[in-house]
Amino acid sequence: MERILIIGGGASGMAAAIRASECEANQVTLLERQARVGKKLAATGNGRCNLTNTQADLRRYHGEDPGFAASVLAAYPPRRVLEFFAALGLRTVTEYGGRVYPVSDHAGSVLDVLRLGLEKPNVTVLSGCPAEAVRRDGGGFAVTAGGQTLCADKLILACGGCAGSRLGGVMDGYALAAALGHSRTALYPALTQLRTAPDYPRALKGIRVDARVRLLQRENVLAETSGDVLFTDTGLSGTAVFELSRCAAGQSDLTAELCLFDDPEEVLQADLRTRRGRWPALEANRILTGAVQSRLGQMLCRYAGISGGVSAETLSDAQLRALAKAMRAMRLPVTGVSGFETAQVTAGGLCTAEFDPDTLESRLVPGLYACGEILDIDGDCGGFNLHWAWASGLRAGELR
Ligand SMILES: Cc1cc2nc3c(=O)[nH]c(=O)nc-3n(C[C@H](O)[C@H](O)[C@H](O)COP(=O)(O)OP(=O)(O)OC[C@H]3O[C@@H](n4cnc5c(N)ncnc54)[C@H](O)[C@@H]3O)c2cc1C
């Protein structure tokens, strides 16, 4: 019998525990500091859990050495991860962009099947039991947790990162790894909101649009994405913005440029002239009525220097040109990125050079493994981070 201890009952830890328990000679203990396993998982994908992406490959991952993920991703492509979940009873559906969700549209279903998978005679789940210290103990490990000492032959660190702190993201895993001699890179919040100067977004709070977004540093384009943009009381959120946040971390002099309309500027100008002619008595700042949500239309007018209190017929061609330009390029000064509290993922983590990319075993401490977000690998928005959690958890659980 081999005693396997897994610290962290999140996505990667549960996958590792299920895989490790397939060998009946393994006695698996899963330690979770929170009152129940998978608390963060239940909140993923706005409660729907975007559990993987059929397009998951190395190009979607980041870190000091993203190539570290190659072997695990090759061993566990989306097809194999979906087979793992199908065997647990989960029914899934693939949506736009290859994003995979449970058919139930409920993240709880993903958690349910994992918990069911853990219900085995050779698995013990200890919730509400934070691992506080770890040391080498002969050929194995001794972990202090909740006033007791747990001994193991092999140890898997699956503590996640410090992102999503409201859902339990903590620094514990890095400290436990450091106690065993491992180092980490700098940590940054990734897949998070951009903070912008308050003038515009605050009044637009809650409005969601489909837009192209460019991140500019002075006039240089640092990154460009398109998709969902949500205005919040502190700035911009949504999947298109999350993608840019990685490039924004630690930078200054940034501007987010929103292109809210696909049509060329001349076409927009012609449409605005038609609107001016058709509704001459309309209040000028309502000229975009019906083209966008009214609050956004009025905000675009304000941005272009058009105020209410006068009628549309008084608008000059130059004012309509300015408005058409704003519809294609509304610029908002970026004051920073939101912190770990709201970030979906931690960029940076345990130095991957200290782990074997094929087995995820430590190169410094035999019998120690790490998986998931704790490692210096993070993915794009769209199911790629959970994919890494499952793939690396399954690989670590093989205990090769
Ligand atoms: C709001 C939100 C939405 C997200 N949505 C998506 C999505 O739809 N798709 C996607 O791909 N990714 C999403 N992510 C990212 C994804 O959830 C994470 O990348 C993934 O959960 C990482 O898995 P993990 O096992 O490494 O860490 P986690 O899932 O964070 O699990 C780590 C676990 O370890 C426990 N732990 C920590 N320290 C200790 C200790 N000392 N002792 C015992 N236990 C400990 C924690 O309590 C936690 O349960 C989202 C993240 C957030 C915050």
Side-chain angles (χ1 to χ4, degrees):
M1 187 196 76
E2 204 161 40
R3 297 161 304 169
I4 315 298
L5 185 60
I6 301 169
I7 306 182
S12 67
M14 286 188 280
I18 292 172
R19 177 58 28 103
S21 71
E22 285 167 8
C23 172
E24 282 171 17
N26 286 340
Q27 187 58 49
V28 180
T29 303
L30 181 63
L31 266 191
E32 170 52 49
R33 60 180 280 279
Q34 301 192 81
R36 53 199 160 82
V37 294
K39 187 173 175 201
K40 190 189 285 179
L41 184 62
T44 56
N46 287 324
R48 294 180 65 210
C49 185
N50 177 195
L51 72 151
T52 182
N53 191 301
T54 56
Q55 293 160 18
D57 65 30
L58 197 52
R59 286 169 298 180
R60 313 308 299 251
Y61 292 92
H62 314 273
E64 253 174 30
D65 174 21
F68 176 82
S71 174
V72 167
L73 294 173
Y76 289 99
R79 177 185 50 77
R80 276 201 76 193
V81 164
L82 289 173
E83 281 167 10
F84 165 74
F85 276 105
L88 290 174
L90 188 73
R91 294 183 62 220
T92 57
V93 59
T94 303
E95 296 189 359
Y96 174 76
R99 293 164 185 244
V100 181
Y101 295 89
V103 165
S104 68
D105 239 3
H106 192 239
S109 300
V110 182
L111 184 51
D112 287 345
V113 299
L114 289 164
R115 293 174 72 151
L116 198 59
L118 292 168
E119 281 179 24
K120 291 171 93 173
N122 63 339
V123 179
T124 306
V125 177
L126 296 177
S127 300
C129 199
E132 287 140 14
V134 58
R135 61 180 163 77
R136 288 293 272 162
D137 180 36
F141 302 88
V143 173
T144 313
Q148 52 184 323
T149 300
L150 302 160
C151 294
D153 302 303
K154 291 190 170 162
L155 179 66
I156 301 179
L157 285 178
C159 303
C162 48
S165 44
R166 267 180 259 166
L167 297 163
V170 284
M171 297 289 285
D172 291 22
Y174 309 118
L176 294 168
L180 293 169
H182 277 277
S183 47
R184 66 163 170 86
T185 66
L187 307 174
Y188 300 96
L191 302 189
T192 190
Q193 303 186 10
L194 292 182
R195 293 210 176 100
T196 60
D199 320 12
Y200 298 100
R202 226 164 249 179
L204 299 176
K205 184 181 171 186
I207 292 183
R208 204 177 269 283
V209 290
D210 197 28
R212 204 161 62 246
V213 195
R214 298 202 304 170
L215 184 69
L216 308 172
Q217 190 167 44
R218 288 168 284 275
E219 286 304 313
N220 297 328
V221 180
L222 294 187
E224 181 167 350
T225 56
S226 54
D228 181 45
V229 175
L230 173 70
F231 293 94
T232 72
D233 53 353
T234 55
L236 301 171
S237 182
T239 51
V241 173
F242 285 171
E243 292 298 353
L244 300 178
S245 61
R246 180 176 291 103
C247 306
Q251 302 279 356
S252 54
D253 289 326
L254 298 176
T255 305
E257 184 186 86
L258 300 182
C259 175
L260 297 163
F261 290 78
D262 277 339
D263 303 309
E265 229 167 276
E266 312 77 66
V267 173
L268 296 174
Q269 281 174 35
D271 179 59
L272 290 171
R273 284 196 298 272
T274 306
R275 286 169 175 268
R276 179 180 59 187
R278 195 173 294 165
W279 297 289
L282 184 71
E283 196 174 11
N285 67 352
R286 293 177 55 212
I287 194 163
L288 286 173
T289 299
V292 281
Q293 286 195 38
S294 58
R295 267 193 293 149
L296 180 56
Q298 287 173 28
M299 191 56 75
L300 279 167
C301 286
R302 190 179 128 198
Y303 179 88
I306 296 171
S307 47
V310 292
S311 56
E313 64 188 342
T314 66
L315 291 173
S316 65
D317 284 351
Q319 283 178 301
L320 296 188
R321 267 200 304 280
L323 181 53
K325 195 169 162 43
M327 292 158 80
R328 298 258 322 154
M330 183 184 183
R331 289 189 170 191
L332 304 172
V334 174
T335 54
V337 294
S338 293
F340 285 110
E341 207 170 289
T342 52
Q344 288 204 355
V345 70
T346 312
L350 297 184
C351 290
T352 50
E354 295 171 359
F355 291 85
D356 181 329
D358 291 326
T359 61
L360 300 183
E361 186 175 15
S362 163
R363 293 188 196 276
L364 313 180
V365 186
L368 173 69
Y369 298 76
C371 54
E373 200 177 306
I374 192 174
L375 287 163
D376 176 21
I377 293 290
D378 64 290
D380 288 344
C381 188
F384 301 100
N385 284 297
L386 279 175
H387 181 81
W388 170 249
W390 313 127
S392 59
L394 290 168
R395 181 34 67 91
E398 289 175 17
L399 299 157
R400 293 201 300 161

